[in-house]
Each structure stands twice: as structure tokens, then as C-alpha cells.
Amino acid sequence: MKHIYILLPFVIGFSTLAKAQVDAVQKLDEVVISDTKLIDYANGIKIEILSDSIINNNRTSLTGLLAFNSNLYFKENGFGMVSSPSFRGTNASQTAVVWNGININSQLNGQTDFNTINTSNYNSIAIRSGGGSVQYGSGSIGGSIHLNNNLSFTEHFKTVLRTGYGSFNSKNLGFNSAFGTKLYTGNVAVTYVDSNNDYKYLGTDQINENGAFNNLNLNANLGFYVSNKDIIKLYHQSYFGNRNFSGTLVGPSRSKYEDENFRTMLEWARTSGKFSSKVKAVHLHELFKYFENKDKANFSLGSVNTLLVNQNFNVSFSDKLQFKTILEYSNTKGKGDSFKAPVRNAFSTTALLNHKLSNVIRYGINLRQDFITGGERPFVFSVDASFDLFEHYQIQINGSKNYRIPTFNDLYWQPGGNLDLVPESSYQIDLGQNFSYPHLNVKLNGYYINTKDMIQWVPNNTGIWSPVNIGEVASYGAEIEVKSHYTINKHQLHFSGHYSYTVSEDLETNKQLIYVPFHKGNLNLAYGYKRFSMFYQHLFNGEVSIIGNSLSSYDFGNMGVSYVFNQNKKVNYTIDFKLNNLYNTYYENVALRPMPNRNFQIQTTIKF
Amino acid sequence: MKINKLLVLALLTSIFITSCSEDSDDNPVAPKGDYENGLIISHEGNFGQGNASVSFVSDDFLTVENNVFSNVNGSPLGDTAQSITFSDDLAYIVLNVSNKIEVVNRYTFESVATINTTVINPRYMAISNGKGYVTAWGDFSDETDDALLVIDLTTNTISKTIATNYLPEEVIAVDNKVFVATGVFGYGNLVDVVNTDSDVIETTITVGSAPNSFQLDANNDLWVLTSENLVEINTTSNEVEQTLSFDDTISSPSHLNFYNGDFYFYAGGSVYKQDATATSITAEAILSGLNFYDMSVDNDMVYGVDAKDFSSNGDLVVYNLTTSALINTTTLNIIPGGVYFN
């Protein structure tokens, strides 16, 4: 497995286990990522990067990947259904999902459904903890998840074919081809996932009878050097999802949900000495059709198209001082059965500064001013710093103001939409300590987040549900992340674990918010010997309060084994076998929605 | 999302609907069960969250028990308890999202049967001619599958489906007929009249927008409260006798009650009293500053339920009808939505 942590200013890479040799080529590449500010302007920010081989153990679902490999907590309306995170005790609309630098949260509900993101389409997935509205805009309050496609300008031609089959008639197919020279590069990928998802509800005679889903992803990313200073890049992703929505133990369901997302970004990057600039044009499209009854043709529709232009300009005055400005304009148009045809224009200006004051201290100062249709002008800022106090010890600190603008649903939903809403605003502070030794990395973080003017839907005096700015929530907690790696002869051992203690209180009632566990933890153990590797992962989710009640804590484990045939030849094959919910544990992640019993997955991968 | 819309709709529509199934008890000598001589409060719970429940509150308010159904039967009641209808020793609990009707003994709450085949979005029930009549929306998004389900009460199965106008809600039995209010907030203004000998719709009466509650007066005339008026219907001729329109001082009236020769209804945080003999709306507020999700009037009291913010436990709030004094406040469960006398 390969984990990369960014403990700026160090970049420490662990690369290993069975797939290390395959990945080795990639490590040497000149890799271009689209979102450089994720790394360059984040001295005091906790960032965890999950690489290919970690992703491989939780392929197809971003929910599963992050639940086992980060401090995030997820609530999932049954396996494969709508899934939303709570990042540091914040709500589902307060985590931004960022695709190659662009915030892709839905304009309709402000969220990204983590079960619509197929992890195998990305080279790396990064978890950036804490506020990021200056860099990533609305909704970056608890943190942000970054989906990155890298482009490598080296001679290569690599193709990967995957097929998988598992319990509940689950099938997946994947094709990925990456190619390039020093002048151009590209990769294309197609993934398809299909499952009857009709698992048994343990201890009952019921099954998950309306849970079938399938989705198709198409990805294409291209880059060309048009001169030795200019690169043109094109990123595209299409997603087509088709899901039945599961019911609960006491409420059957017959509904179906179809959704599609198209994301396209054209980018021109120019680097000239100390200066670099990028111009990006982006089109984002989201559409859903909700069928109350999957056997009937009636549905309700919502769709949004966003056009966005972004220009940024970076100056490196020296290797110690960098400055970046960003101008962004977006035009968002919605259309749907429950709202008419709202339009939103937004303009923002951003300035980022990063300074290495000494070998010990680096800091950043970041400002952003937005101008949004309707007169809202949120101003946000952040400051962050890192202190490399000792050889193995670093302190990171950051403070920020962040915001979330009302969504189209909040503003225009009929009936109930409220045009008088103001953006949610949030202040936070985060302190991190990082211990890094050759075989051990430990991160400890403590944070405090106060969010005001929370947008909540409540019944008004005529009984119609309508959103208002009422809530004030304080979230605070502590996180620990431990990673350890040993190589003894040809034996490789890897351990990682996360634990978080989270308090998230409604300041009016002084009660913990529903669906925020005080305790959440996970651990991963991996062992590799030559061509063989295996892993075990375990997740603990503490008790959560739900409306009028509480939902029990649970823990469960998965394990997998993997073997590579023909390892160092041109064509190699890998077989993975994975057992999920090893102990056949009954658990509900959301009340009355049982999760799958023990199940298996077998996967073959051919690389050439 | 549409789910939200449905949720919002489902929740807001139930605001305008009252419970009107009061049954007069015979006077039992021996106790028939733990839940006699008190109030039965149905709780919708949160739409889709499966936390519907029933509470019992004794007449003297001293004994209170929440989650009666699950306490007695050891299983959850279901999702979104819309209404309860009583008949002899039985109570029929209509569970909207669970698509079922739980039949229990009204005094012991022991489960007797579950009616759940081909029931989609059931709402209310009435008993006529020894048969049960359950209004059922079918799919909300389909205007052609709305129906009155006829229940064979000996087998607890559906014996017939009668197509109705869009969104059938309250249903009331009068002699050998049932009257079905159709429409919810923003939709519909019709009352379907079904002959329960033949089980066919004999006529449809136009009333005001979104008819939300029914009451029979002393002359067996049916009064229909809608968002815009109070309509009197002769239940023999099916003719409208008179229509009393509201002016803009009272908006979205609901929860019509008839007690001791007067009407009581709820609108905008107040309980209004309307003389049943008046030929226009003369209603005056007798209680104000309320937040009722449902109310029933009896025993010289107003029994209201306050669902609060729909995520904390609601209250039963009882006022004296003549003195307007607050008699009792009892905290119950999530989203109390119906008050019945047992």
C-alpha cells in the first residue's frame, strides 16, 4: 500500500506492499495536479492524502473509503443509498467536495451524495480538515474532500482492466488507460457498478427489497504542452446513476432515483519564471428525476447548469514567498418542478499569501470577498501557520471564517422557499501536533467551530415548512491519526488508525446534534509478503442520538487477501478477495435501515 | 428533492385535519384493559423515520404511558400514524408511510391483525354497514389511483376498491353513506358521497378549497370545514344547505369540533367558537397564543396537542372551555397528531 501524508514542509511517502512495484513508475513521473493550492497554501492545515492502493481496498464507494480511512462519520440510508458525511460534527451541507479544484456540491441541496462518487476514477483523494471557504467557497466548514486526477508527462502507456463479482449479484467493470509522452498525456476510464443489493436484514425474515442500484462513470483527462510554457488541460467526468431507494424496517419503499452529473473543465496554464497563471472554464451539470413509484412514469425533476470562469495568477517572489490571486465568476441556472427557473450570479476575488519566515515558521494569510445575486457579500479569511519545532515534531495552527450560502431549495422551493435567508457563517480554530518518525506518524488535532445563522427547515405559523436562519451550533473535539510502517526483509507491515471525539451542540438546547457520534474510530492492518498481501479493517461507531431516541453503537470488520501473478512481467494479474462484515454483525447506521450482512467480493485486475 | 416536498406536504396537510371519531362508551363494570377511561393520543412521528407511537393519558392526567403499542406488543408501531378509528372493542391505527392498518384491542392494545396488502398511503377510516372504509392516496404523484378501500372487518382484508377524487382525506359515516373529503392544502374542493349498500359513489359535492374536517350536528347535517368556508350538507339529499365564508381575519381554519350546540375550530394559534345557528361566520377567539397540531373538544375542555418543533417531545395541553383556564400540560412523544377519547 502507499500512503502519502503531507506534513508540510515535508512530504513523506510510504510506498509499499504488493502494489508498490507497479506504482513505482508513477512515483517518478512529472505529475501535474490541477489544484496546486491544496498543497502550496496550506501550511497549518491538516491534510491526509489517500493514494491508489488505499483506494483499492474500498473501491467503488467514497463512503466506504473515507469511513475506514479518515476521521469522517457517515450516515447512509442503507447500503448504496444517499450518503452524507458529518465532518467535525458539522452537517451534510458543510463539507465541500472538490473535483480538481472545483467545488461540486449540488446547487439544489448543498451536498454531495458520497455514494455517487466512484473512487477508482481518481489518482488521489485528499481530506482537508477544517474551514476552507477562502479557497473552496460555500460549504467548506467542517472540511473538504478533494478528488484529483493527475496528469503525467512522461513516456507511458498503461491499461488496467477490472472485473468484480460479489454477493447480492454485485458486478463491477472498470477500464482505465493512461498514456503520454513529454508533450502530451491523457487517461480515459469507464467504470460500471451494478447490484441487486437485496441483502438479508439479519434477525428478521425481511430483505432489502427496493435497494438495487447501478451507475456508470466516464472519465477523460487530457493535457498538451502547446509550448514549453503553456499547457492546455481538459478534464471531463460523466456520471449516470439509477437507484431504487430502500425503505425502512417499518416503511416499505417503491421509489426510484435517477441522476446525472457532467463536469467539464478546460484549463490553460502558463508558467514563466516567477509567474504562473491559469485560466479555467468549467461547466457543471446536475439533474435528478425522482420517481415516487418505480413502476410508473411520473417523476419530479430538478436540474442545474453552472458556467464558471476562473483566473488565477501566482507569483513566487522567492522560494520563501508566494502570492496568488484568484478571480472567479459563475452563473448558475436551475430548473425544476418545485421551483421555477432561478438564476444566481456570483463573483469572487481571492488573495493568498504564503511565507516561509524561517526554517521553523511558515505562515499563510488568505482573504476572499464574494458578491452574489441577491446582494449577499460574504467576506471570509483564514490564517495558518506551521512551526517545525524539533526534528520530529511540528505544530500546525489555523483560524478561519467560513460560510455557506443558501441553496436553490432553501431559496426557491415551492412552497416554503425563503428569499430572506442570509449565508451561514462560521468561525473556527484548529491546533494540530504532528510527530513524524521513520516508522511512525502521529497527528493530534483539537478544534473549535462556531456556526451561526444555520439554515434549518421548520414549520411556520401557517404550517408550511420553510427554512430560516435560526440555529447556532458549537462543535469541538479532538482527533488522532496514527500510521506506522515496517519492512522486515520482504515482509511489510502497515498500520493506520483514526479516532475522533466530537461534541456538536445546539447552543439553544445544549444538546448533542442528532447523528453525530461522540466516538468514532477505525483501524487498518495490512501485511504484504512478495506477491501476497492481506488487510483487515475495523470500524467503531459510537451511539448517536436520533429524534426522540438513540441508536446503538456498532463495530464491524472487513478483510481481504490479494495475490499478484506474473508480477514483474509486461502483463500482470491480481486477484483480490474481500469479506465485508466479517463477523456478520447486525447494525443500523441510520435508524431502521439495517446494513448488509456478511458478504464477499472477488475482483480480478489485469494490468499491461 | 421530491422527498422533501412529499414530507412537507404530508406534514402540512395533517395540520388541517382533525380527528372526529368519538365513540360513546358503554359503562363497563369490570376494567377492560389498562387503557380505558382516558385519552389515546396518536403520534405521527417523523415522516420516514419509523417513530410513530401511541400514548395513553388517564382522565385525571395522573397516569401517562408513551409507546403503548410497542410496550404491549414488543414491536415498533410503524411510520407516520395518521389517524385512529374505533369500533366496538377495536382500534384501527392507520399508518401512512408503513402502508398498513394495525388492528388492536382498544383497551389492551394487544395486536389483533395487520391490514397491509395493496394499501398505499392510507389516511383515515370510517365504519359503515359493518364494513371499513379507508381513504388511500395511492401515489401522491398519480392523480388517478386515489381510492376508498373497503375492508371486510371479519377477515381484515380489502374486499373492494372505489376510485375517488384526488387525495381522499377525512371520511365520516352517516347512516348508509360515507362522505369523503378530497384535497389537501392547495389541491381539491370536493366531497365524494359513497353509498355503502352498493359501494359506489352516488354523487360529488363541491365545497371550499382543501376540505379538512367533518362534524355532524344535532340534526344529522354534515358540516365541512375548508380553507375558505364552512359548508352545511343535508346528508339525506346530499344538497348544500348553506355556505359560511371566512373573511381574511381567519386564515386556514382547521380541526372542526361540534360540542354542546357550538362549533369550535383552530386557526392561526387561536381556538374559535362559532354559534351553530348563525348564518354567517361570527366566530370569536376564546383561546390564543397556541400551537396546536390537532385538538378535540369534550367534557367542557379543549384537548390540544402541540408538536413543537417536530423533533422534540410534544405536549398535550388542556384548557377549560368556559373559563379558558389551563388545566393540564403533559409532555408526550414526537409529533402528537390526534386526540381520542377511550
Side-chain angles (χ1 to χ4, degrees):
Chain A
M1 291 192 196
K2 185 172 74 173
H3 274 235
I4 298 177
Y5 297 88
I6 295 200
L7 286 171
L8 288 174
F10 315 107
V11 176
I12 297 170
F14 296 115
S15 103
T16 51
L17 291 200
K19 281 143 194 153
Q21 289 85 346
V22 182
D23 291 338
V25 182
Q26 227 171 20
K27 273 183 68 189
L28 303 171
D29 293 350
E30 187 201 334
V31 176
V32 180
I33 75 167
S34 179
D35 183 20
T36 50
K37 65 184 179 297
L38 178 62
I39 292 162
D40 292 346
Y41 290 89
N43 302 306
I45 311 287
K46 175 183 171 188
I47 296 173
E48 181 176 5
I49 295 186
L50 306 177
S51 67
D52 267 11
S53 39
I54 293 292
I55 293 171
N56 198 49
N57 293 340
N58 291 94
R59 203 163 278 290
T60 76
S61 150
L62 187 56
T63 305
L65 177 73
L66 296 179
F68 281 101
N69 292 288
S70 78
N71 290 100
L72 270 74
Y73 157 77
F74 284 88
K75 51 180 192 287
E76 203 176 356
N77 280 345
F79 185 78
M81 303 294 112
V82 172
S83 165
S84 58
S86 171
F87 201 150
R88 293 187 162 179
T90 62
N91 70 31
S93 324
Q94 294 171 338
T95 297
V97 175
V98 178
W99 170 75
N100 292 309
I102 303 296
N103 186 328
I104 57 167
N105 278 10
S106 165
Q107 298 290 332
L108 295 173
N109 63 14
Q111 307 174 14
T112 294
D113 177 351
F114 279 60
N115 277 338
T116 65
I117 304 290
N118 188 318
T119 55
S120 46
N121 296 314
Y122 307 99
N123 301 103
S124 79
I125 292 173
I127 303 137
R128 185 186 191 278
S129 299
S133 282
V134 174
Q135 290 87 353
Y136 300 105
S138 177
S140 310
I141 293 177
S144 45
I145 306 301
H146 300 258
L147 313 171
N148 293 318
N149 293 103
N150 302 339
L151 293 173
S152 40
F153 289 92
T154 54
E155 290 288 342
H156 68 288
F157 188 87
K158 248 175 44 179
T159 298
V160 180
L161 277 170
R162 284 193 187 85
T163 57
Y165 184 80
S167 304
F168 325 124
N169 199 22
S170 303
K171 290 155 282 194
N172 72 76
L173 277 173
F175 165 83
N176 183 327
S177 191
F179 47 88
T181 67
K182 285 183 175 166
L183 292 178
Y184 71 89
T185 182
N187 55 70
V188 291
V190 181
T191 53
Y192 178 73
V193 178
D194 184 312
S195 176
N196 293 0
N197 201 27
D198 50 353
Y199 53 85
K200 181 178 160 49
Y201 293 168
L202 287 167
T204 73
D205 52 6
Q206 298 182 53
I207 60 164
N208 190 41
E209 57 182 27
N210 197 51
F213 63 85
N214 66 63
N215 61 64
L216 174 69
N217 263 285
L218 307 171
N219 283 260
N221 307 297
L222 303 167
F224 308 88
Y225 268 100
V226 289
S227 79
N228 56 9
K229 290 176 181 167
D230 299 277
I231 313 179
I232 301 283
K233 289 178 261 183
L234 178 70
Y235 297 86
H236 175 80
Q237 177 177 46
S238 291
Y239 167 87
F240 303 90
N242 190 340
R243 278 183 285 181
N244 294 344
F245 275 168
S246 300
T248 67
L249 279 171
V250 298
S253 168
R254 57 195 183 284
S255 62
K256 181 175 81 165
Y257 189 77
E258 292 178 4
D259 54 339
E260 62 184 41
N261 282 287
F262 307 140
R263 298 165 186 134
T264 309
M265 175 163 74
L266 183 64
E267 177 182 313
W268 168 39
R270 182 180 176 90
T271 308
S272 175
K274 293 174 179 175
F275 305 101
S276 67
S277 84
K278 277 183 189 171
V279 179
K280 301 176 186 186
V282 183
H283 174 244
L284 302 173
H285 164 81
E286 60 178 294
L287 177 146
F288 76 85
K289 288 180 184 173
Y290 174 73
F291 297 76
E292 180 187 9
N293 183 336
K294 63 177 189 281
D295 299 322
K296 290 183 181 173
N298 311 347
F299 60 84
S300 67
L301 174 97
S303 76
V304 178
N305 280 291
T306 301
L307 277 172
L308 183 152
V309 184
N310 177 302
Q311 191 275 334
N312 70 62
F313 182 69
N314 198 85
V315 195
S316 300
F317 295 105
S318 67
D319 58 358
K320 290 181 179 168
L321 185 63
Q322 274 195 88
F323 182 71
K324 189 194 277 280
T325 59
I326 306 170
L327 299 174
E328 186 172 292
Y329 167 78
S330 68
N331 170 276
T332 304
K333 286 182 181 161
K335 203 176 86 182
D337 294 336
S338 297
F339 41 84
K340 287 172 186 156
V343 178
R344 175 150 66 198
N345 290 299
F347 177 72
S348 70
T349 61
T350 306
L352 311 176
L353 172 83
N354 181 28
H355 185 204
K356 181 181 174 186
L357 195 64
S358 70
N359 284 336
V360 174
I361 303 173
R362 287 167 184 261
Y363 68 93
I365 298 172
N366 313 295
L367 309 169
R368 173 175 173 138
Q369 173 71 61
D370 280 55
F371 305 87
I372 300 168
T373 302
E376 292 301 336
R377 294 179 170 189
F379 169 75
V380 291
F381 61 88
S382 68
V383 290
D384 63 281
S386 63
F387 305 90
D388 296 305
L389 295 182
F390 305 105
E391 189 186 351
H392 300 296
Y393 180 67
Q394 183 197 41
I395 287 181
Q396 289 181 306
I397 186 163
N398 71 80
S400 58
K401 184 189 178 197
N402 304 285
Y403 70 100
R404 183 172 85 83
I405 56 173
T407 63
F408 276 5
N409 286 356
D410 294 331
L411 295 168
Y412 302 109
W413 190 268
Q414 287 306 319
N418 179 0
L419 289 169
D420 297 327
L421 291 171
V422 299
E424 295 179 355
S425 74
S426 168
Y427 288 92
Q428 60 181 275
I429 186 154
D430 177 10
L431 176 69
Q433 301 180 75
N434 302 327
F435 303 86
S436 43
Y437 300 95
H439 297 293
L440 178 68
N441 275 265
V442 179
K443 293 186 188 182
L444 294 169
N445 281 74
Y447 61 87
Y448 179 87
I449 306 172
N450 179 291
T451 307
K452 276 187 217 149
D453 293 327
M454 295 265 287
I455 297 169
Q456 293 178 1
W457 286 69
V458 291
N460 66 17
N461 55 12
T462 57
I464 294 171
W465 287 68
S466 180
V468 280
N469 291 101
I470 48 168
E472 181 171 357
V473 169
S475 308
Y476 53 94
E479 298 166 342
I480 179 165
E481 180 186 317
V482 178
K483 308 221 170 172
S484 180
H485 178 77
Y486 283 92
T487 304
I488 305 162
N489 297 328
K490 286 182 175 167
H491 301 272
Q492 307 192 48
L493 272 171
H494 176 87
F495 168 84
S496 76
H498 299 82
Y499 166 78
S500 46
Y501 174 75
T502 311
V503 178
S504 194
E505 265 181 14
D506 182 321
L507 289 179
E508 198 179 318
T509 62
N510 289 324
K511 279 189 187 154
Q512 178 87 343
L513 299 188
I514 61 167
Y515 286 110
V516 179
F518 285 110
H519 305 281
K520 192 245 163 183
N522 58 46
L523 58 86
N524 287 267
L525 284 166
Y527 167 76
Y529 178 71
K530 293 183 178 171
R531 301 164 168 201
F532 172 80
S533 64
M534 61 185 291
F535 74 92
Y536 174 78
Q537 54 187 199
H538 200 92
L539 185 146
F540 171 79
N541 206 108
E543 183 183 88
V544 293
S545 56
I546 62 175
I547 294 175
N549 209 336
S550 65
L551 187 61
S552 306
S553 65
Y554 61 85
D555 64 302
F556 71 100
N558 301 332
M559 72 168 294
V561 294
S562 175
Y563 191 82
V564 185
F565 298 89
N566 236 14
Q567 191 161 16
N568 296 318
K569 306 286 170 49
K570 273 197 165 175
V571 180
N572 74 56
Y573 311 89
T574 309
I575 287 192
D576 295 277
F577 182 79
K578 188 177 173 189
L579 264 180
N580 297 311
N581 194 0
L582 190 60
Y583 313 113
N584 213 24
T585 308
Y586 177 90
Y587 68 101
E588 293 173 8
N589 170 269
V590 169
L592 299 172
R593 296 178 180 275
M595 292 294 275
N597 51 333
R598 183 188 297 128
N599 62 90
F600 76 93
Q601 240 173 306
I602 189 160
Q603 178 115 5
T604 62
T605 307
I606 304 171
K607 295 187 183 182
F608 55 90
Chain B
M1 300 210 329
K2 185 68 192 193
I3 306 169
N4 284 336
K5 183 168 191 178
L6 199 61
L7 179 149
V8 169
L9 240 170
L11 285 170
L12 71 88
T13 55
S14 37
I15 287 164
F16 300 105
I17 289 140
T18 188
S19 52
C20 61
S21 317
E22 295 169 28
D23 288 59
S24 53
D25 281 334
D26 47 352
N27 293 316
V29 183
K32 294 179 171 179
D34 290 346
Y35 308 112
E36 204 186 349
N37 301 322
L39 302 165
I40 297 292
I41 319 283
S42 64
H43 291 76
E44 289 180 8
N46 302 97
F47 189 90
Q49 303 296 307
N51 57 345
S53 66
V54 172
S55 295
F56 171 77
V57 179
S58 62
D59 285 336
D60 57 9
F61 310 116
L62 294 176
T63 306
V64 178
E65 184 181 334
N66 289 323
N67 300 309
V68 168
F69 181 91
S70 54
N71 292 349
V72 170
N73 297 297
S75 58
L77 175 60
D79 205 316
T80 313
Q82 185 62 39
S83 62
I84 306 182
T85 295
F86 297 90
S87 175
D88 298 328
D89 282 351
L90 298 175
Y92 296 84
I93 309 166
V94 182
L95 292 142
N96 185 3
V97 176
S98 289
N99 293 333
K100 68 175 182 179
I101 298 142
E102 283 289 348
V103 188
V104 298
N105 180 297
R106 68 189 288 179
Y107 304 114
T108 65
F109 262 77
E110 280 163 12
S111 180
V112 173
T114 302
I115 305 167
N116 63 1
T117 33
T118 66
V119 180
I120 303 286
N121 276 323
R123 304 287 296 173
Y124 294 85
M125 180 170 173
I127 313 280
S128 175
N129 258 344
K131 293 178 278 188
Y133 291 84
V134 176
T135 54
W137 284 4
D139 292 314
F140 175 76
S141 56
D142 185 341
E143 299 195 9
T144 63
D145 64 351
D146 300 70
L148 191 63
L149 310 175
V150 186
I151 313 282
D152 179 333
L153 298 178
T154 54
T155 60
N156 289 312
T157 55
I158 294 162
S159 55
K160 190 177 177 186
T161 298
I162 305 165
T164 66
N165 276 298
Y166 188 42
L167 303 176
E169 287 278 286
E170 276 281 354
V171 54
I172 190 170
V174 188
D175 302 329
N176 63 337
K177 293 176 185 177
V178 293
F179 292 78
V180 181
T182 66
V184 298
F185 183 83
Y187 299 87
N189 60 354
L190 302 172
V191 172
D192 287 331
V193 185
V194 175
N195 181 311
T196 57
D197 291 327
S198 58
D199 285 340
V200 294
I201 293 184
E202 60 181 38
T203 189
T204 293
I205 305 162
T206 302
V207 291
S209 167
N212 63 64
S213 40
F214 285 143
Q215 285 288 296
L216 285 174
D217 68 12
N219 303 322
N220 221 27
D221 277 355
L222 179 66
W223 293 76
V224 186
L225 182 62
T226 78
S227 295
E228 53 190 356
N229 53 29
L230 182 59
V231 180
E232 181 182 10
I233 295 171
N234 181 312
T235 54
T236 310
S237 66
N238 300 332
E239 296 294 327
V240 171
E241 300 267 334
Q242 58 174 334
T243 299
L244 283 53
S245 294
F246 289 97
D247 60 24
D248 53 11
T249 57
I250 295 174
S251 67
S252 302
S254 60
H255 307 308
L256 184 67
N257 278 258
F258 180 69
Y259 179 73
N260 264 355
D262 290 308
F263 288 117
Y264 296 87
F265 60 86
Y266 179 79
S270 298
V271 173
Y272 290 85
K273 180 179 179 178
Q274 161 82 17
D275 181 350
T277 60
T279 53
S280 66
I281 297 292
T282 56
E284 286 184 12
I286 57 164
L287 291 167
S288 289
L290 306 170
N291 181 36
F292 283 175
Y293 195 48
D294 185 36
M295 71 168 199
S296 294
V297 178
D298 203 357
N299 309 321
D300 278 328
M301 312 258 203
V302 177
Y303 299 85
V305 281
D306 179 350
K308 302 207 177 140
D309 61 358
F310 292 79
S311 57
S312 27
N313 289 331
D315 286 344
L316 169 70
V317 190
V318 184
Y319 287 90
N320 185 295
L321 206 53
T322 38
T323 65
S324 297
L326 177 64
I327 303 298
N328 180 268
T329 301
T330 305
T331 300
L332 299 173
N333 224 330
I334 305 293
I335 315 185
V339 182
Y340 307 90
F341 301 96
N342 203 24

